[in-house]
């Protein structure tokens, strides 16, 4: 790929921003028990640290394109890095779980703008024939982030303290700020449509209310009545958005998108399949450290088979889909993902190490195939006029499902912990085992959604390539 030096630097700049964002989404998981001990909390009730980040990202993603058009990509990208670095510093300075969650929200707001704005700049800078090649280059650091995140997090906790998993973002961010001002094109779009603020507020409130309701069952200590009220308000807000979008000429997400069968099925499948599988990077390091006596570094290294198997699986995905079609691949693979998750319900300290490694590698492979197939089937039939909007909607659903999946797993784990009334590691292990079985069953149930796909759907698309780059499940 031959580019001018400034174009090469621009690609590196977007790639580093993407790397920071994907690294941070995974590095925290292995450090949760150490954070819990430092802040005087139970390690089994730390999911709000993960949920806050995912939810903040989900809230801002729908507005990211409009914000970049209105204020210029350079200014917005610079602010995104500033928010991300400021959030990282406040995370490291936190003395309570509440402070840490608030800092994670700030960090998530910055992270939400890094990938969509970076992708938009690449789209506008590179000619269409070079776009996929450019996005593939940007995607590589994003795949490396989840690969090294858990191990790096565990190592930093052992050799220094959990605060350093956030402080390492500071020097990278400062270099990023300087490079943004020097190399990022900053021209705002000449004409920008009016932002659908009312629709955005309805959508954001609905997402936050539903996620808080789930998280409230576990970590916020909300009573059942409060959870029920939040859920009703959240659902009412989403219904209000749908009615609002149906009669508005330029809504945030047009209801016309849902006339495309593959997008409608793909989005619903993404949401429910991820509700189950996205809790695994949160649950596995906790299981290993809390019930099996693994150190943070050992727990982080145990996530390597998941990432390596996931990356290796990418090369077989297109062949499998072309041969068997989306419906067969997604129905069969969703069942495999669910069964593999449920198999962690049999995990015990007495099992040999190789059994855990094989189990984790199998999960990584089927989960990677699942994400790529779900992403591509969702976007493959969208016309040019709906591609950007559909892409943003998919990104938002991915982040909402990640947050809600971790919140749901936390709520289920809390319920089973109370049920088994833990007086030792054995009872805590039983709570984990039951949680894995439940979350696996949720994933199995989502296979029915993919059964609605047409058996004739086989063709892959390049649209999925850039979206898969945003996936670090």
């Amino acid at each position: 790929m031959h580019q001018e030096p400034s174009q090469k630097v621009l690609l590196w700049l977007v790639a580093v921003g993407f790397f920071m964002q994907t690294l941070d989404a995974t590095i925290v998981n292995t450090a949760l028990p150490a954070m819990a001990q430092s802040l005087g909390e139970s390690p089994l009730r730390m999911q709000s640290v993960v949920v806050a980040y995912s939810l903040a990202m989900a809230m801002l993603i729908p507005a990211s394109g409009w914000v970049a058009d209105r204020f210029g990509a350079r200014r917005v990208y610079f602010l995104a890095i500033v928010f991300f670095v400021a959030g990282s510093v406040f995370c490291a300075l936190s003395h309570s779980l509440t402070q840490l969650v608030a800092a994670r929200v700030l960090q998530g707001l910055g992270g939400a703008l890094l990938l969509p704005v970076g992708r938009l700049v690449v789209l506008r800078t590179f000619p269409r024939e070079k776009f996929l090649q450019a996005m593939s280059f940007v995607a590589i650091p994003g795949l490396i982030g989840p690969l090294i995140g858990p191990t790096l997090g565990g190592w930093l906790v052992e050799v220094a303290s959990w605060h350093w998993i956030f402080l390492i973002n500071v020097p990278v961010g400062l270099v990023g700020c300087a490079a943004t001002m020097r190399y990022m094109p900053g021209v705002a779009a000449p004409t920008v449509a009016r932002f659908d603020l009312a629709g955005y507020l309805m959508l954001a409130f609905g997402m936050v209310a539903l996620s808080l309701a789930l998280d409230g069952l576990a970590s916020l200590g909300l009573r059942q009545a409060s959870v029920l009220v939040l859920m009703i308000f959240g659902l009412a807000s989403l219904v209000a958005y749908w009615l609002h979008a149906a009669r508005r000429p330029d809504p945030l997400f047009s209801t016309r998108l849902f006339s495309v069968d593959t997008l409608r099925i793909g989005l619903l499948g993404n949401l429910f399949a991820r509700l189950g599988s996205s809790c695994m990077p949160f649950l596995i390091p906790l299981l290993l450290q809390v019930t099996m006596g693994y150190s943070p570094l050992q727990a982080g290294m145990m996530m390597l088979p998941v990432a390596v198997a996931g990356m290796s699986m990418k090369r077989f995905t297109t062949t499998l889909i072309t041969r068997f079609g989306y419906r067969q691949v997604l129905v069969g693979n969703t069942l495999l993902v669910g069964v593999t998750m449920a198999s962690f319900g049999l995990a015990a300290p007495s099992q040999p190490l190789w059994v855990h490694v094989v189990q984790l590698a199998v999960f990584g492979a089927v989960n990677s195939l699942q994400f790529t197939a779900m992403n591509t089937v969702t976007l493959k039939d969208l016309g040019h006029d709906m591609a950007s909007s559909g892409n943003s909607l998919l990104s938002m659903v991915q982040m909402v499902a990640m947050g809600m999946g971790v919140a749901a797993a936390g709520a289920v784990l809390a319920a089973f912990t109370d049920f088994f009334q833990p007086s030792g590691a054995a009872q805590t292990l039983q709570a984990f085992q039951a949680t894995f079985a439940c979350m696996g069953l949720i994933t199995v149930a989502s296979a029915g959604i993919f059964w609605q796909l047409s058996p004739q759907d086989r063709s892959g698309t390049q649209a999925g390539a850039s979206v898969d780059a945003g996936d670090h499940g």
Side-chain angles (χ1 to χ4, degrees), residues 182-205:
R182 174 81 175 77
Y183 295 104
M184 180 77 72
V187 183
T191 55
V192 184
R194 233 177 86 224
F195 185 60
D196 180 13
L197 183 62
Y200 173 71
L201 291 175
M202 288 178 207
L203 199 58
F205 179 77

Side-chain angles (χ1 to χ4, degrees), residues 29-40:
N29 291 315
T30 41
L32 288 176
M35 289 181 194
Q37 188 178 8
S38 170
L39 301 174

Side-chain angles (χ1 to χ4, degrees), residues 261-271 374 377-378 450 453:
D261 273 352
T262 47
L263 179 119
R264 189 171 63 243
I265 295 165
L267 280 180
L268 287 170
N270 253 290
L271 179 62
M374 286 193 305
V377 80
T378 305
F450 296 115
L453 287 166

Side-chain angles (χ1 to χ4, degrees), residues 8-28:
K8 267 191 178 166
V9 176
L10 177 64
L11 275 186
W12 274 105
L13 177 58
V14 175
V16 169
F18 185 19
F19 173 73
M20 281 168 61
Q21 189 257 310
T22 54
L23 178 71
D24 213 78
T26 53
I27 196 172
V28 167

Side-chain angles (χ1 to χ4, degrees), residues 113-127:
L113 291 169
L114 284 174
L115 178 61
V117 175
R119 187 188 287 160
L120 195 66
V121 169
V122 173
L123 182 62
R124 287 178 179 165
T125 307
F126 288 83

Side-chain angles (χ1 to χ4, degrees), residues 44-103:
L44 305 186
R45 295 176 187 268
M46 290 292 287
Q47 71 276 2
S48 51
V49 176
V50 181
V51 174
Y53 184 79
S54 302
L55 202 53
M57 285 191 67
M59 276 177 60
L60 202 52
I61 282 170
S64 58
W66 185 89
V67 171
D69 284 343
R70 174 70 181 79
F71 299 104
R74 183 195 298 150
R75 197 178 297 166
V76 173
Y77 202 78
F78 181 85
L79 272 178
I81 297 175
V82 168
F83 277 10
F84 191 83
V85 171
S88 300
V89 171
F90 286 130
C91 283
L93 296 175
S94 299
H95 294 292
S96 70
L97 183 58
T98 308
Q99 289 175 0
L100 182 58
V101 167

Side-chain angles (χ1 to χ4, degrees), residues 270-283:
N270 253 290
L271 179 62
F272 287 99
R274 285 166 189 274
L275 269 179
S277 62
S278 60
C279 67
M280 297 297 276
F282 161 72
L283 283 177

Side-chain angles (χ1 to χ4, degrees), residues 277-300:
S277 62
S278 60
C279 67
M280 297 297 276
F282 161 72
L283 283 177
I284 292 169
L286 270 185
L287 168 79
L288 296 174
Q289 290 180 75
V290 173
T291 68
M292 297 192 185
Y294 280 56
S295 70
L297 178 59
Q298 288 169 330

